[in-house]
Amino acid sequence: MQDRFNTIAGWALAGGIAALGLSIASAKYFHSEKPERPGYVVEAVEDAAGGAAAAEPLPVRLAKGDAAKGESGFKQCASCHTIAQGGANGIGPNLYATLGEGIAQGKGGFAFSDALKGVGGSWDLDKMDAWLTNPRKFAPGTKMTFAGISDPQLRADVILYLNKQGSNLPLPAAPGAGSEPDNAGVQSNSAAEGADVSVNVQQATPGEGTPAKDPQAAVQAEKKK
């Protein structure tokens, strides 16, 4: 009985050793190296997800925007920023009257990143739209971890709300705004031309007693020659 048990245990041990050896050998045979460069660029996927290419021009979005919706959208920024006049800096700077100010300047001495300081210029409407789209793309190396607002119209709404908080920059006119159709002018010209034509026709119409109107008058005129 003991010999039989030892035989079974031996076969089991031998099987385990064989399986382990086979596993090691197959791992070495089918080993694959990690590619030095991935087959796709992750950043391109992120850009497509942002939908920036499909966005309407900012003036169009601002023209149909809603600052009340922008206030609601700003709630996702409120965990890091205050926006009331005289509000304290938090994880991010106070944003009152930010539009129109120099980028990464002022704000009670807030410690801006060198990446944002290097952008230069002032916060105009277009720069704010780009910043809210993708902060890390706007200023590579920025300390801001916010991923951005992918909805183009919501970005415009938030910009309208920010602009009302102590900035009040003039908004650009939407393309085509203020233009009027030319149909009225065309109709007026046509009517004027029609009046001129009718006057000319009346002036060109021969009167009573003229040779062209009265055959007898034509004969008399011929005799007088």
Side-chain angles (χ1 to χ4, degrees):
M1 184 69 180
Q2 184 69 27
D3 292 339
R4 184 177 180 184
F5 176 79
N6 290 340
T7 300
I8 294 174
W11 278 110
L13 180 61
I17 294 173
L20 178 61
L22 182 62
S23 175
I24 294 173
S26 62
K28 290 184 177 180
Y29 183 78
F30 294 105
H31 177 68
S32 60
E33 296 289 341
K34 182 180 179 180
E36 296 181 359
R37 185 175 181 180
Y40 58 90
V41 181
V42 176
E43 183 178 358
V45 175
E46 292 177 353
D47 289 345
E56 292 180 298
L58 181 58
V60 175
R61 288 182 281 134
L62 290 174
K64 63 182 182 181
D66 186 343
K69 293 181 180 179
E71 182 177 8
S72 179
F74 183 80
K75 291 179 180 178
Q76 58 187 305
C77 311
S79 59
C80 298
H81 299 275
T82 60
I83 197 168
Q85 185 175 8
N89 293 326
I91 298 174
N94 172 267
L95 297 180
Y96 183 81
T98 293
L99 284 169
E101 286 188 341
I103 296 176
Q105 298 177 20
K107 301 303 182 187
F110 183 84
F112 291 100
S113 66
D114 292 336
L116 193 57
K117 290 178 181 177
V119 173
S122 300
W123 283 116
D124 59 26
L125 301 174
D126 289 312
K127 287 189 179 70
M128 184 59 70
D129 186 46
W131 169 255
L132 292 177
T133 301
N134 190 332
R136 287 173 290 180
K137 187 174 182 180
F138 180 83
T142 179
K143 295 187 297 184
M144 185 163 173
T145 58
F146 181 58
I149 301 174
S150 60
D151 183 353
Q153 187 56 53
L154 181 58
R155 287 199 306 272
D157 294 338
V158 171
I159 290 172
L160 287 174
Y161 173 68
L162 290 172
N163 195 40
K164 289 181 176 293
Q165 311 309 309
S167 296
N168 298 314
L169 295 183
L171 300 180
S179 61
E180 297 180 356
D182 294 334
N183 294 341
V186 172
Q187 292 176 357
S188 298
N189 293 337
S190 299
E193 291 175 0
D196 292 341
V197 170
S198 62
V199 171
N200 292 337
V201 170
Q202 291 175 1
Q203 291 176 347
T205 302
E208 294 293 335
T210 61
K213 189 72 175 179
D214 189 350
Q216 187 63 32
V219 173
Q220 295 295 331
E222 187 65 27
K223 290 180 178 180
K224 293 180 180 180
K225 290 182 178 181

